[in-house]
Amino acid sequence: MDFSRQIILPQLGVSGQKKLKDSKILVVGAGGLGCAVLPYLAAAGIGTLGIMDGDRIAASNLHRQLLYSQNQIGLLKSQEAKKYLNINFPEVDVDAIDFFLEPSNARDHLQNFDLIIDATDEISARHLLNDFCQELGIPWVYGSIHQFQGQVSVFNFENGPNYKDLFPIADADAISCSDAGVLGTTVGLIGMLQANEAIKIVGGFGKVLSGKVLIYDLLSCNQQIFEFEKRPENNSRLEQISFPFISIEEVIQSKRTVLDVREKDEKPEILKENFLKTPLSTLAEKVELFDRGEEICIFCQTGKRSQTAAEILHQLGFTQIRLIKGGAKEILEQLSHEKDLS
């Protein structure tokens, strides 16, 4: 393939192109994000690409997973993606790994690559990726989708922050694309941004999104970058920070923004104008909806998740955070009492 148009870029040049050729990148997931990442990496001249996915192609995939077609339904994504790359980019060495990332196989496969790209849609897989990449000293490029919003970041790059510095817990109730919905252009854009970070990392140029999370909203074309820091002690959870408390009565009598960080369908349900349902599992994806300078009050069922949510917002630059004394049950009782008095 002729790479002359990108070699003339002074930031890349011949030496940078050779770095791309010598690099080995593993893409974990061959769904929507993977289908955007893989052809751009191959076209850029990455020498070796691994594709790790145990899933099979379904009809519902085709609107956003453009490497596949109707006659491939039921076939393994990793193998079909490899066929596509072999036909269109024969100079790229492609390794198809036909199973999902698990603790039993992670080390054996991740250690063969210089860089990992997260193209999964499971938070538990990202925590697993993070643990093994940290152990092996391998940087990885994160990407996630929630409806029309997407996030991109780089973890474990040159001793920088890792995934658990930003997202300390694995929430099994996080909503997947199959439940929340997804548009093909959303995964396409976020996947290209991931590929771009990977090319910058292995090519050795540009400013990498290490210690930063980019959030893009395709409905508004609004893009924001928030910075976060590496935690010096236990990276399995965020460092405990003390936040001021506010009483239920004071919250109810004011118009402060209140975040209910419980997951969907948790009872009791609380309906009030300034109470926003913002599950902890998707909190970081929705931060662009709030003003970092406004006062935000947080509650959950017992208080544990409120503390975690406050620490995440603090990491992302929010300065006016307060925890509500009491959980959802106490808040509902007070709301009922206020209603009776009125």
Side-chain angles (χ1 to χ4, degrees):
M1 183 173 289
D2 185 352
F3 299 109
S4 59
R5 293 297 178 90
Q6 63 187 43
I7 288 176
I8 62 174
L9 292 168
Q11 294 86 349
L12 186 66
V14 175
S15 62
Q17 189 64 49
K18 185 178 186 304
K19 291 177 183 177
L20 300 186
K21 174 64 177 175
D22 293 340
S23 66
K24 298 179 180 180
I25 297 178
L26 174 64
V27 179
V28 181
L33 291 173
C35 284
V37 168
L38 286 164
Y40 277 95
L41 292 182
I46 299 300
T48 300
L49 284 173
I51 310 169
M52 189 175 196
D53 199 321
D55 199 12
R56 295 179 181 271
I57 300 165
S60 61
N61 301 149
L62 301 181
H63 81 284
R64 67 191 184 281
Q65 299 178 18
L66 302 184
L67 300 189
Y68 315 126
S69 59
Q70 289 280 350
N71 61 1
Q72 294 171 304
I73 290 174
L75 301 178
L76 285 164
K77 291 181 180 180
S78 56
Q79 290 292 344
E80 298 310 302
K82 177 179 179 177
K83 290 178 184 177
Y84 176 92
L85 296 179
N86 284 342
I87 292 171
N88 292 279
F89 309 99
E91 67 280 2
V92 179
D93 183 13
V94 183
D95 179 18
I97 304 168
D98 302 333
F99 38 78
F100 297 108
L101 182 74
E102 295 178 354
S104 60
N105 62 43
R107 181 180 291 100
D108 289 342
H109 290 287
L110 298 182
Q111 66 185 359
N112 297 322
F113 295 89
D114 309 312
L115 176 70
I116 313 298
I117 295 185
D118 159 43
T120 69
D121 61 357
E122 294 185 3
I123 292 178
S124 59
R126 292 174 185 138
H127 278 260
L128 183 61
L129 254 182
N130 188 75
D131 290 345
F132 279 95
C133 284
Q134 188 175 9
E135 176 187 331
L136 296 168
I138 302 172
W140 63 287
V141 181
Y142 156 76
S144 73
I145 301 294
H146 181 72
Q147 296 184 336
F148 295 96
Q149 299 172 4
Q151 300 182 35
V152 181
S153 188
V154 174
F155 300 116
N156 204 37
F157 176 69
E158 295 183 347
N159 200 36
N162 67 49
Y163 181 80
K164 289 183 178 179
D165 290 320
L166 183 59
F167 303 106
I169 60 173
D171 196 318
D173 295 327
I175 304 172
S176 67
C177 289
S178 61
D179 296 322
V182 62
L183 197 64
T185 50
T186 307
V187 293
L189 175 60
I190 298 303
M192 284 191 288
L193 289 172
Q194 286 183 278
N196 188 60
E197 289 303 300
I199 291 169
K200 289 192 298 181
I201 291 169
V202 298
F205 62 92
K207 294 183 179 180
V208 175
L209 282 171
S210 176
K212 302 179 179 67
V213 56
L214 181 153
I215 301 176
Y216 194 94
D217 187 329
L218 275 81
L219 284 180
S220 63
C221 292
N222 181 40
Q223 175 178 299
Q224 293 179 300
I225 295 179
F226 296 98
E227 296 186 359
F228 61 98
E229 297 177 354
K230 184 175 182 178
R231 295 290 172 173
E233 297 178 356
N234 184 2
N235 283 331
S236 65
R237 61 176 177 84
L238 289 178
E239 180 182 338
Q240 191 82 1
I241 302 172
S242 295
F243 296 96
F245 283 91
I246 186 171
S247 68
I248 295 173
E249 293 81 4
E250 188 177 354
V251 168
I252 291 174
Q253 294 167 9
S254 71
K255 293 186 178 181
R256 292 176 172 87
T257 298
V258 177
L259 302 187
D260 177 357
V261 297
R262 297 174 298 159
E263 295 303 316
K264 63 175 183 175
D265 301 327
E266 283 192 54
K267 304 296 181 183
E269 185 177 15
I270 298 178
L271 300 176
K272 187 170 169 48
E273 183 180 357
N274 58 321
F275 281 50
L276 306 178
K277 190 74 171 182
T278 315
L280 179 61
S281 59
T282 59
L283 175 62
E285 298 172 3
K286 297 180 180 180
V287 293
E288 75 279 359
L289 301 176
F290 314 121
D291 181 350
R292 281 186 287 173
E294 72 175 313
E295 187 172 85
I296 294 178
C297 305
I298 308 173
F299 77 93
C300 61
Q301 206 77 296
T302 63
K304 182 177 180 181
R305 283 175 290 178
S306 297
Q307 174 71 29
T308 301
E311 289 170 344
I312 290 173
L313 291 177
H314 177 75
Q315 280 280 72
L316 294 176
F318 288 78
T319 58
Q320 302 296 319
I321 304 168
R322 304 186 76 175
L323 303 180
I324 300 176
K325 288 182 179 179
K329 183 179 178 181
E330 291 81 5
I331 291 173
L332 185 61
E333 289 175 353
Q334 184 63 33
L335 284 170
S336 299
H337 177 67
E338 295 283 335
K339 185 177 181 181
D340 291 340
L341 290 178
S342 62

